[in-house]
Amino acid sequence: MSDQPAPTDTTRLQLDPAAADAVRAYAARTRASADQFAAVLEDIATNGLPSVDNSTPWEDLRERTLTRLAAQRPAVA
């Protein structure tokens, strides 16, 4: 939170319907991501950390992600 006082004008600017829908969609995606993360943490708390043998090295995950991102990006001539 901010140490600055709250503004005295409580009038809020309304979003157009398309922008409001986009904000709601973003909120839903963020909430789903947070729920998934919380489920992983709860699983770790209940069952402990997964074994190294059943895990993917972070380097492999990084390379897969970089390859996916590079494929999405248009090539520069």
Side-chain angles (χ1 to χ4, degrees):
M1 292 293 184
S2 174
D3 291 336
Q4 298 178 2
T8 56
D9 181 13
T10 58
T11 304
R12 298 179 80 165
L13 299 175
Q14 296 298 311
L15 298 175
D16 63 73
D21 288 343
V23 170
R24 286 186 193 98
Y26 178 74
R29 287 190 311 271
T30 302
R31 188 174 296 113
S33 179
D35 288 345
Q36 184 179 16
F37 182 59
V40 169
L41 293 177
E42 289 171 356
D43 179 70
I44 290 170
T46 301
N47 302 309
L49 291 169
S51 71
V52 174
D53 296 334
N54 294 333
S55 299
T56 304
W58 73 268
E59 295 91 348
D60 293 347
L61 296 172
R62 179 192 63 206
E63 291 305 317
R64 282 188 222 159
T65 301
L66 290 175
T67 301
R68 180 180 47 82
L69 292 173
Q72 292 174 354
R73 186 176 182 183
V76 177

